[in-house]
């Protein structure tokens, strides 16, 4: 989120003496989308549905299920083996857990998201096929936002959502995997709380909150894959705002980059490799030193024995001669 937006929001909060809960946000499902097929014009389909539902207004935010974007973009793979599709979309394995139904894999996918099954979805699609996530969710969101703005004349934002689980919490919720024309983060750092203390870490993820709000009215099997959020015009901005890709935490700041079992196994493997290399080096050095010492001792013994042998022979003495 831009610094200007954060400054504007702090100024707005400072000017109002009313409690924050007087704000009102409305969320409604957009009916009439229908089944989406590869090649469908999503801009035209969504804009037409919005017109039939009363139109869009400046500041509205469309929360679009990524599944219909994947379908329109032809991200349908004929794969009787979903596991292979997951493998193909995986960049890094974070954690795996075996259970009665198979194996759950938490992985980082090609889009940089960490999710179960790399975001590969086998629900609401024909048998023998799976859906992959859009190649570039932020680019897909920008194309939708630009097209709908042009067609409707309203300055709207777009959030692409997908269903994910969360660490340490049961259940799933929708989160933003793509965004355009929306401030994805409300950075409150530098402001103050109600007691006047400076906020140092507070960053509200607006995009994820919007995705979750949209999911409340869209449902999973209702045939309404698009929701409209009204009342948050402050979160809408130009199309070149950073997208949802910025929400992913960089690996250097990720305290939980691996699952517990994977971290333990990595530690064991690294410890074994380091210990083996160290032991080999020490053993080689000690073996060399021991061998060198034994060699020196053997050479010294051999030299002494040779000297003693030479000393026992008297020059010029003949066999059987005696001396006095």
């Amino acid at each position: 989120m831009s610094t200007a937006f954060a400054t504007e929001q702090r100024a707005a909060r400072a000017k109002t003496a009313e409690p924050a809960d007087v704000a009102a946000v409305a969320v409604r499902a957009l009916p009439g989308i229908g089944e989406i097929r590869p090649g469908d014009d999503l801009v035209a389909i969504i804009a037409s549905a919005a017109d039939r539902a009363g139109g869009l207004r400046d500041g509205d935010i469309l929360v679009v299920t990524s599944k219909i974007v994947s379908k329109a973009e032809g991200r349908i793979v004929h794969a009787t083996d979903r596991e292979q599709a997951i493998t193909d979309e995986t960049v890094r394995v974070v954690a795996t857990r075996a259970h009665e139904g198979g194996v759950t894999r938490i992985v980082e996918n090609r889009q940089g998201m960490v999710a179960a099954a790399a975001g590969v979805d086998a629900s609401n699609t024909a048998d023998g096929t799976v859906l992959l996530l859009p190649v570039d969710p932020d680019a897909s969101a920008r194309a939708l936002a630009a097209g709908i703005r042009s067609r409707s004349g309203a300055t709207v934002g777009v959030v692409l959502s997908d269903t994910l689980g969360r660490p340490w919490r049961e259940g799933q919720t929708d989160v933003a995997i793509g965004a355009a024309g929306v401030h994805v983060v409300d950075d409150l750092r530098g402001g103050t709380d109600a007691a006047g203390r400076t906020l140092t870490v507070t960053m509200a993820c607006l995009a994820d909150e919007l995705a979750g709000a949209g999911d409340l009215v869209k449902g999973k099997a209702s045939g309404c894959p698009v929701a409209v959020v009204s009342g948050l015009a402050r979160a809408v901005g130009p199309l070149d705002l950073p997208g949802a890709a910025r929400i992913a935490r960089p690996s250097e700041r990720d305290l939980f980059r691996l699952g517990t079992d994977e971290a333990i196994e990595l530690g064991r493997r690294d410890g074994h490799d380091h210990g083996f290399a160290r032991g080999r080096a020490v053993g080689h050095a000690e073996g060399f030193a021991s061998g060198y010492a034994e060699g020196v001792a053997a050479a010294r013994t051999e030299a002494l024995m040779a000297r003693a042998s030479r000393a026992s022979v008297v020059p010029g003495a003949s066999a059987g001669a005696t001396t006095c």
Side-chain angles (χ1 to χ4, degrees), residues 81-245:
D81 184 1
R82 177 172 178 253
E83 295 304 311
Q84 184 58 50
I86 295 170
T87 298
D88 293 341
E89 291 299 301
T90 295
V91 172
R92 175 176 62 89
V93 175
V94 175
T96 59
R97 293 294 182 274
H99 49 82
E100 292 183 357
V103 177
T104 296
R105 284 188 282 174
I106 307 299
V107 305
E108 179 182 340
N109 64 15
R110 297 178 185 274
Q111 291 81 5
M113 297 168 48
V114 174
V120 175
D121 197 344
S123 63
N124 293 316
T125 185
D127 289 341
T129 66
V130 295
L131 284 176
L132 310 182
L133 294 177
V135 174
D136 186 341
D138 283 334
S140 298
R142 281 194 299 272
L144 279 177
I148 293 171
R149 285 185 181 194
S150 175
R151 184 179 174 112
S152 68
T155 302
V156 300
V158 169
V159 169
L160 298 192
S161 68
D162 193 30
T163 305
L164 268 68
R166 288 83 32 77
W168 308 298
R169 301 182 72 82
E170 295 288 355
Q172 297 82 35
T173 186
D174 268 26
V175 301
I177 68 167
V182 174
H183 293 276
V184 296
V185 173
D186 188 0
D187 192 345
L188 303 179
R189 294 173 299 178
T192 56
D193 64 11
R197 291 183 291 266
T198 300
L199 299 173
T200 58
V201 298
T202 306
M203 296 174 63
C205 188
L206 285 177
D208 280 354
E209 292 176 332
L210 288 164
D215 189 48
L216 291 174
V217 298
K218 286 187 301 173
K220 300 301 179 189
S222 64
C224 293
V226 179
V228 181
V229 179
S230 302
L232 284 174
R234 64 183 179 84
V236 177
L239 294 179
D240 60 355
L241 287 171

Side-chain angles (χ1 to χ4, degrees), residues 289-318:
S290 175
Y292 179 80
E294 289 179 6
V296 170
R300 181 179 295 114
T301 299
E302 186 176 341
L304 290 174
M305 290 177 65
R307 183 182 302 169
S309 177
R310 288 194 301 270
S312 66
V313 179
V314 178
S318 59

Side-chain angles (χ1 to χ4, degrees), residues 25-105:
V25 176
V27 186
R28 57 189 171 94
L30 199 60
I33 300 297
E35 180 62 28
I36 301 299
R37 295 175 175 81
D40 280 352
D41 185 347
L42 275 185
V43 169
I45 292 171
I46 294 174
S48 295
D51 287 342
R52 293 192 296 272
L56 297 170
R57 297 175 176 78
D58 287 345
D60 282 348
I61 300 169
L62 297 167
V63 181
V64 181
T65 302
S66 63
K67 188 185 300 290
I68 66 169
V69 178
S70 293
K71 289 181 176 181
E73 294 181 354
R75 296 282 286 161
I76 303 173
V77 175
H78 293 277
T80 54
D81 184 1
R82 177 172 178 253
E83 295 304 311
Q84 184 58 50
I86 295 170
T87 298
D88 293 341
E89 291 299 301
T90 295
V91 172
R92 175 176 62 89
V93 175
V94 175
T96 59
R97 293 294 182 274
H99 49 82
E100 292 183 357
V103 177
T104 296
R105 284 188 282 174

